[in-house]
């Protein structure tokens, strides 16, 4: 007897891109292109499209010249072309307003659907089709899996995105991300003074510990952006970055150190053109167990989760590590 083909429904493949608004595009370009070593694939007026040296798609980073340093969108690639439309129908059926974006809304990208995450109000964009251009000949690598030669500090790919929202909406948003979009909770912590409220949750659709994290914003505001992480090859690369960046006029955030949560080495700095927090991230562990049970961090061990070694992150009242950037609304 022939069994009907199983359809798992629409699914997300990975966190694929971010569009950062910057008041100083040239300074941001210097930071991401010349210092971090990303390839400038295309620039149209005040919008620049970049990718890291192991990314074959058109871009993972969009820099948009604008007055306010806010995040215009968080992009996720879905697993199949039809998943864009299937997610759109799912959102409509559940009362989540979504906008259709035509092919080319972002250069090199196909049709997309844009919506705000219920509760947190972060602007997500889902897409499948994206061009895979060759780098200009002078930048090409002999390694076929590299889109270009390694340059600068050598960021390899976009690793994950960290979001924050108000204490009153974080549970709704985190639950919706899991139940409606298929993210799996890998590690998490609760607010010690309010144990029913999620302090932070690390979520993934890949074997990574997190493709996306969401937690409580210090300002108790929705739609806040904490950081985007770019992956580098090894711990030594993080230390080299720290050494080189110390000599430059760049706001040094935190690190180098190692997280207990996720077990990766980190260095946080700020894009000098926009002030957005950027993490250079290496290591970590992968999850292959299909029955993985989410790990809960409680006091006093939670401090080790934030920093296993290195300077303890400044997460107290008014701490610099709690600063965030705003996100755009539904209309891009």
């Amino acid at each position: 007897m022939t069994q009907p083909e199983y359809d798992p429904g629409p699914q997300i493949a990975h966190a694929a891109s971010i569009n950062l608004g910057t008041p100083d595009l040239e300074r941001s370009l210097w930071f991401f292109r010349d210092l971090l070593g990303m390839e400038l694939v295309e620039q149209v007026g005040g919008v620049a499209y970049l990718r890291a040296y192991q990314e074959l798609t058109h871009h993972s980073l969009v820099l948009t010249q604008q007055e306010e340093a806010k995040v215009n969108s968080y992009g996720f690639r879905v697993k199949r072309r039809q998943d864009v439309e299937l997610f759109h129908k799912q959102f409509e059926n559940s009362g989540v307003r979504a906008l259709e974006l035509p092919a080319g809304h972002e250069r090199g990208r196909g049709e997309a659907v844009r919506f705000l995450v219920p509760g947190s109000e972060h602007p997500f964009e889902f897409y499948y089709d994206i061009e895979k251009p060759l780098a200009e000949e002078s930048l090409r690598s002999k390694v076929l899996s590299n889109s270009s030669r390694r340059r600068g500090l050598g960021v390899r790919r976009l690793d994950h995105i960290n979001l924050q929202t108000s204490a009153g909406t974080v549970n709704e948003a985190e639950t919706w991300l899991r139940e409606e979009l298929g993210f799996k909770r890998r590690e998490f912590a609760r607010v010690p003074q309010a144990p029913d409220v999620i302090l932070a949750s690390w979520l993934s659709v890949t074997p990574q510990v997190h493709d996306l994290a969401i937690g409580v914003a210090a300002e108790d505001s929705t739609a806040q952006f904490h950081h985007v992480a770019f992956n580098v090859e090894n711990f030594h690369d993080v230390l080299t970055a720290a050494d080189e960046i110390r000599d430059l006029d760049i706001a040094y955030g935190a690190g180098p150190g190692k997280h207990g949560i996720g077990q990766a080495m980190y260095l946080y700095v700020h894009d000098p053109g926009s002030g957005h927090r950027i993490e250079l991230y290496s290591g970590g562990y992968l999850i292959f167990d299909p029955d993985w049970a989410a790990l809960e961090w409680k006091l006093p061990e939670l401090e080790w989760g934030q920093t296993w070694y290195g300077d303890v992150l400044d997460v107290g009242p008014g701490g610099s590590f709690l600063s965030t950037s705003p996100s755009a609304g539904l209309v891009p």
Side-chain angles (χ1 to χ4, degrees):
M1 180 187 229
T2 303
Q3 295 293 326
E5 185 176 346
Y6 171 69
D7 186 341
Q11 295 180 300
I12 300 170
H14 64 109
S17 63
I18 190 167
N19 185 321
L20 298 178
T22 173
D24 190 340
L25 178 60
E26 288 307 312
R27 187 71 171 149
S28 292
L29 270 174
W30 168 83
F31 175 75
F32 288 103
R33 178 191 58 202
D34 303 332
L35 180 61
L36 299 191
M38 299 186 77
E39 174 195 353
L40 177 60
V41 176
E42 188 173 359
Q43 184 170 355
V44 183
V47 183
Y49 298 86
L50 300 95
R51 63 182 175 183
Y53 80 88
Q54 287 187 348
E55 293 176 320
L56 301 179
T57 55
H58 186 274
H59 64 272
S60 62
L61 173 65
V62 184
L63 296 174
T64 302
Q65 175 79 51
Q66 58 193 49
E67 290 185 7
E68 186 179 2
K70 65 181 178 182
V71 181
N72 297 311
S73 66
Y74 306 92
F76 296 82
R77 199 171 182 204
V78 296
K79 288 190 174 182
R80 307 171 301 181
R81 183 173 289 109
Q82 64 263 37
D83 287 350
V84 177
E85 180 60 27
L86 289 174
F87 267 123
H88 193 182
K89 290 180 179 178
Q90 177 180 311
F91 299 152
E92 287 183 333
N93 291 339
S94 62
V96 175
R97 185 186 173 202
L99 302 178
E100 293 184 14
L101 302 178
H105 175 81
E106 281 190 6
R107 297 292 285 237
R109 197 182 73 177
E111 294 180 349
V113 58
R114 180 183 175 95
F115 62 96
L116 299 182
V117 174
S120 72
E121 301 180 17
H122 289 95
F124 280 17
E125 293 182 0
F126 285 2
Y127 61 94
Y128 176 79
D129 289 313
I130 187 165
E131 295 174 7
K132 298 182 178 180
L134 291 175
E136 62 178 74
E137 197 165 343
S138 64
L139 293 179
R140 289 179 198 167
S141 171
K142 295 182 177 67
V143 180
L144 298 183
S145 55
N146 290 350
S147 53
S148 62
R149 290 184 289 104
R150 175 174 171 160
R151 303 174 313 284
L153 294 176
V155 296
R156 302 195 297 174
R157 59 179 172 82
L158 189 153
D159 192 280
H160 65 266
I161 297 167
N162 189 301
L163 309 176
Q164 294 190 342
T165 188
S166 68
T169 61
V170 65
N171 282 11
E172 176 189 359
E174 196 263 0
T175 299
W176 192 87
L177 291 168
R178 288 188 291 109
E179 294 183 352
E180 299 297 324
L181 300 188
F183 282 96
K184 296 179 181 179
R185 182 192 284 175
R186 304 303 198 175
E187 302 193 32
F188 72 105
R190 304 178 194 269
V191 176
Q193 301 83 1
D196 291 336
V197 178
I198 291 291
L199 175 65
S201 178
W202 289 262
L203 307 162
S204 70
V205 291
T206 70
Q208 296 194 133
V209 174
H210 65 315
D211 306 301
L212 179 69
I214 188 164
V216 175
E219 309 86 10
D220 206 34
S221 301
T222 59
Q224 297 300 296
F225 167 70
H226 192 267
H227 69 264
V228 58
F230 289 93
N231 187 279
V232 294
E233 188 169 9
N234 54 54
F235 284 12
H236 181 268
D237 289 332
V238 177
L239 295 174
T240 297
D243 199 31
E244 293 190 18
I245 287 172
R246 254 321 196 199
D247 250 339
L248 302 173
D249 186 21
I250 292 174
Y252 214 94
K258 182 181 177 181
H259 294 303
I261 296 167
Q263 297 193 43
M265 196 168 190
Y266 64 83
L267 173 68
Y268 294 95
V269 295
H270 292 264
D271 164 27
S274 66
H276 294 305
R277 183 183 290 104
I278 309 299
E279 181 182 19
L280 300 182
Y281 185 91
S282 181
Y285 68 91
L286 301 176
I287 297 172
F288 299 106
D289 295 344
D291 57 350
W292 179 267
L295 305 176
E296 181 176 3
W297 287 83
K298 301 179 181 179
L299 293 176
E301 291 83 3
L302 180 55
E303 183 177 299
W304 302 343
Q306 294 166 346
T307 299
W308 179 240
Y309 60 74
D311 292 336
V312 175
L313 299 179
D314 185 10
V315 295
S320 61
F321 192 68
L322 296 179
S323 63
T324 57
S325 305
S327 304
L330 180 62
V331 178

